[in-house]
């Protein structure tokens, strides 16, 4: 590692000292640095300006004994302005070598920004390729008082990546914001005997000299926070379901039937959600269940949600929803149709939670009306209603109202426009913004168009109003 680092530093010096390269890009007329953030008011440095990534090709090797990762990222992007310089997001890790279009480039580190000055300016509209070699112990985000971990977690038998709004920059250089979706090829090499999962389709694996390499391909556009890496000992159920490769991986230290009633129902739940929302959007499906104790949330990592084992123990009662239905519904709402900015999160969580209510009714555990009333009847100053479902993420992006008041808003819409129109709105939303980004104004406009009603005041009352709107679906007296 050390030798490689010195070589990289020496290369960087040579390049910096050559006026015809770095100085050239900086002084070409019309070529300007890309912004250090993509423009999300809540997270000003997330993502970057001036380019759009099309594909990440990642080749990583992880040694659990030392927690060290060696990485090689090849990033294909298109300049959206003429760039003298651009940023990638990268948390920790040491960059050993970096080229742009095959030429050594100069880089500096500034917090979580990797600032790259290519030898030549990158003209607007043209593709370019960034090649980065790096290594180190990936960063784990921690909230010690909970104690919760996210991003790159070092587990007992391997590693697990999950985090929202971010996790990707802990293991590869990335334009880390949902506004820049891309496809991915991931090769992950681990000591022989361990398994390694990522998103999408497993193309194959091969073992050489005590290391096994797994090759994964995520062929639909994916937001960076939805990428995952799961290394460890797994019990794997791999099968085809409706033409989709489905891989359900359960931590091998858990009892054999542990997940049968939860992630074991992935196909059945997905089939049901298709009847509501239209075709499942992706090439693969599945689950990753890890027993890592500080993993205290599930995440809708694309095609392969991550679940903490602790969430599946008391299924399906957990937060009244059903966590598997919730994460699978996110494949439509959150993963395929993604937020433009993070203040729009109710479009993910309210939708996924309402889908989980619908599944619970379908599975005869309870009814949507009962769940709606359970939350509706809580005091307006409880976390279920305030702070409101729509608004800046603030200190707690995942505050309960984003889920509960978000789901109640959808139920109120359904009561107002009727079932046929409501589900037509949901399916149109999934189709119209498939693989893209959208915001609340887009949803209101689409609901107005499909229903033929004016809905601005309705959504304002349900999403942000200080008082409860009248109950559109009360329980019958005596219940
Ligand atoms: N989108 C996830 C879910 O609702 C929530 C992730 C929460 N993340 C966190 N670090 N608390 O399924
Ligand atoms: Zn969710």
């Amino acid at each position: 590692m050390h030798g490689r680092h010195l070589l990289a530093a020496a290369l960087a010096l040579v390049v910096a000292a050559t006026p015809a390269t770095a100085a050239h890009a900086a002084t070409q007329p019309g070529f300007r640095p890309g912004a250090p953030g993509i423009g999300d008011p809540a997270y000003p440095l997330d993502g970057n300006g001036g380019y759009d990534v099309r594909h990440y090709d990642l080749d990583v090797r992880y040694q659990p004994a030392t927690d060290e990762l060696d990485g090689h990222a090849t990033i294909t992007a298109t300049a959206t302005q003429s760039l003298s310089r651009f940023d990638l997001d990268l948390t920790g890790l040491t960059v050993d070598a970096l080229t742009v279009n095959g030429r050594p480039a100069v880089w500096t580190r500034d917090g979580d920004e990797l600032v790259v000055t290519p030898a030549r300016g990158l003209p607007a509209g043209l593709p370019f390729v960034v090649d980065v070699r790096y290594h180190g112990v990936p960063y784990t985000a921690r909230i010690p008082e909970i104690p919760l971990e996210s991003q790159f977690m070092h587990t007992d038998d391997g590693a697990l990546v999950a985090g929202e709004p971010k996790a990707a920059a802990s293991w590869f250089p990335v334009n880390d914001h949902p506004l820049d979706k891309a496809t991915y090829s991931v090769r992950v090499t681990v000591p022989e005997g361990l398994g390694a999962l990522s998103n999408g389709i497993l193309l194959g694996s091969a073992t050489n000299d005590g290391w096994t390499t797994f090759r994964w391909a995520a062929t639909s556009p994916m937001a960076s926070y939805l990428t995952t890496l799961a290394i460890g000992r797994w019990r794997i159920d791999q099968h085809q379901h409706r033409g989709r490769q489905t891989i359900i991986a359960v931590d091998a230290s858990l009892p054999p039937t542990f997940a049968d009633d939860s992630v074991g129902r992935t196909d059945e739940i997905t089939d049901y959600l298709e009847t509501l929302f239209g075709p499942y959007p992706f090439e693969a499906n599945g689950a990753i269940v890890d027993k890592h104790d500080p993993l205290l949330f599930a995440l809708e990592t694309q095609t392969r949600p991550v679940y903490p084992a602790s969430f599946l123990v008391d299924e399906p009662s957990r937060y009244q929803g059903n966590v598997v239905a919730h994460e699978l519904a996110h494949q439509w709402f959150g993963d395929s149709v993604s937020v433009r900015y993070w203040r729009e999160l109710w479009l993910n969580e309210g939708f996924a939670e309402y889908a989980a209510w619908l599944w619970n009714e379908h599975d005869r555990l309870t009814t949507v009306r009962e769940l709606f009333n359970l939350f509706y009847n809580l005091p307006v100053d409880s976390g279920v209603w305030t702070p409101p479902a729509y608004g800046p993420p603030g200190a707690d992006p995942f505050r309960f109202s984003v889920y509960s008041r978000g789901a109640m808003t959808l139920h109120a819409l359904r009561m107002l426009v009727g079932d046929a129109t409501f589900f037509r709105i949901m399916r149109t939303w999934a189709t119209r913004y498939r693989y893209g980004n959208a915001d609340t104004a887009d949803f209101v406009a689409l609901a107005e168009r499909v229903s033929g009603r004016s809905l601005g005041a309705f959504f304002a009352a349900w999403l942000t109003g200080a008082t409860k709107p009248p109950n559109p679906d009360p329980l019958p007296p005596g219940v």
Side-chain angles (χ1 to χ4, degrees):
M1 310 285 172
H2 197 63
R4 235 172 42 188
H5 182 65
L6 281 179
L7 178 66
L11 258 178
L13 277 177
V14 170
V15 171
T18 311
T21 56
H24 182 63
T27 55
Q28 279 168 274
F31 285 69
R32 290 172 296 108
I38 211 164
D40 192 323
Y43 303 103
L45 291 178
D46 284 14
N48 304 284
Y51 64 95
D52 190 60
V53 176
R54 191 180 335 141
H55 186 74
Y56 293 88
D57 189 292
L58 307 176
D59 191 350
V60 299
R61 171 190 294 247
Y62 185 69
Q63 172 53 272
T66 59
D67 292 347
E68 282 215 49
L69 181 127
D70 276 279
H72 180 193
T74 308
I75 303 167
T76 310
T78 302
T80 55
Q81 68 174 66
S82 290
L83 287 166
S84 58
R85 195 177 87 195
F86 63 90
D87 285 15
L88 287 159
D89 301 306
L90 184 65
T91 303
L93 300 171
T94 299
V95 174
D96 301 306
L98 198 159
T99 67
V100 178
N101 292 335
R103 294 164 190 271
V106 176
W107 75 87
T108 58
R109 304 295 296 273
D110 181 9
D112 292 345
E113 300 295 308
L114 168 60
V115 183
V116 179
T117 306
R120 298 186 174 177
L122 305 169
L126 292 191
F128 62 96
V129 178
V130 189
D131 189 290
V132 188
R133 291 179 186 271
Y134 57 98
H135 77 275
V137 175
Y139 169 75
T140 309
R142 289 191 173 87
I143 305 179
E145 52 275 19
I146 295 187
L148 171 143
E149 291 183 359
S150 68
Q151 305 204 27
F152 196 106
M153 294 168 260
H154 302 273
T155 62
D156 287 347
D157 56 353
L160 178 69
V161 177
E164 187 181 3
K166 55 180 144 191
S170 69
W171 66 288
F172 61 96
V174 55
N175 195 22
D176 206 1
H177 193 278
L179 269 177
D180 190 0
K181 298 189 187 190
T183 53
Y184 288 73
S185 322
V186 177
R187 274 184 305 286
V188 45
T189 301
V190 294
E192 184 175 359
L194 296 183
L197 296 108
S198 188
N199 312 85
I201 293 170
L202 177 63
L203 299 177
S205 64
T207 299
N208 285 301
D209 301 327
W211 294 85
T212 306
T213 300
F214 295 84
R215 291 181 300 121
W216 295 91
T219 59
S220 304
M222 176 161 66
S224 52
Y225 80 99
L226 298 171
T227 60
T228 187
L229 193 62
I231 297 167
R233 297 182 194 280
W234 310 102
R235 190 174 300 114
I236 302 270
D237 164 16
Q238 177 171 347
H239 61 271
Q240 292 287 123
H241 179 73
R242 295 183 189 266
R244 286 189 293 273
Q245 192 191 65
T246 301
I247 298 181
I248 296 170
V250 178
D251 195 319
S253 67
L254 295 163
T257 58
F258 178 83
D260 288 1
D261 297 338
S262 53
V263 298
R265 300 181 75 185
T266 293
D267 292 338
E268 182 190 357
I269 296 172
T270 304
D271 290 350
Y272 171 68
L273 295 175
E274 285 193 312
T275 69
L276 301 176
F277 305 132
Y280 175 83
F282 301 123
E283 64 279 6
N285 199 359
I288 295 165
V289 180
D290 203 323
K291 204 171 65 58
H292 187 57
D293 288 335
L295 174 68
L296 291 171
F297 57 91
L299 188 64
E300 60 270 25
T301 39
Q302 194 157 302
T303 69
R304 200 146 293 120
V306 165
Y307 303 89
S310 61
F311 270 35
L312 306 183
V313 172
D314 59 350
E315 274 277 274
S317 63
R318 184 138 196 129
Y319 61 79
Q320 312 306 321
N322 173 304
V323 69
V324 181
H326 179 106
E327 304 312 333
L328 289 173
H330 270 310
Q331 304 304 309
W332 284 258
F333 308 116
D335 295 12
S336 171
V337 182
S338 300
V339 294
R340 214 184 284 286
Y341 296 120
W342 285 108
R343 61 173 177 244
E344 310 290 340
L345 191 62
W346 85 277
L347 294 171
N348 296 4
E349 302 306 343
F351 284 48
E353 199 51 20
Y354 193 60
W357 292 5
L358 289 159
W359 165 258
N360 274 10
E361 180 170 289
H362 177 78
D363 203 32
R364 300 180 190 283
L365 287 165
T366 177
T367 65
V368 170
R369 179 191 271 175
E370 281 164 359
L371 288 168
F372 174 85
N373 278 276
L374 182 78
F375 292 116
Y376 181 88
N377 289 323
L378 290 169
V380 78
D381 63 356
S382 77
V384 161
W385 285 91
T386 51
Y390 177 76
D396 185 8
F398 302 100
R399 59 186 180 278
F400 204 60
S401 66
V402 172
Y403 292 70
S404 55
R405 195 166 164 175
M408 283 191 274
T409 298
L410 290 180
H411 190 63
L413 176 65
R414 180 178 165 198
M415 291 299 109
L416 183 69
V417 302
D419 278 16
T421 301
F422 173 75
F423 286 106
R424 195 168 339 119
I425 290 169
M426 299 296 273
R427 280 192 295 273
T428 308
W429 180 246
T431 308
R432 166 70 181 80
Y433 293 102
R434 183 177 160 108
Y435 304 149
N437 301 82
D439 60 23
T440 301
D442 294 324
F443 186 68
V444 174
L446 183 143
E448 289 186 330
R449 206 162 59 240
V450 174
S451 69
R453 286 169 181 264
S454 169
L455 295 169
F458 167 87
F459 279 107
W462 279 92
L463 290 174
T464 59
T467 55
K468 273 187 214 186
N471 188 339
D473 192 21
L475 292 171
V479 176

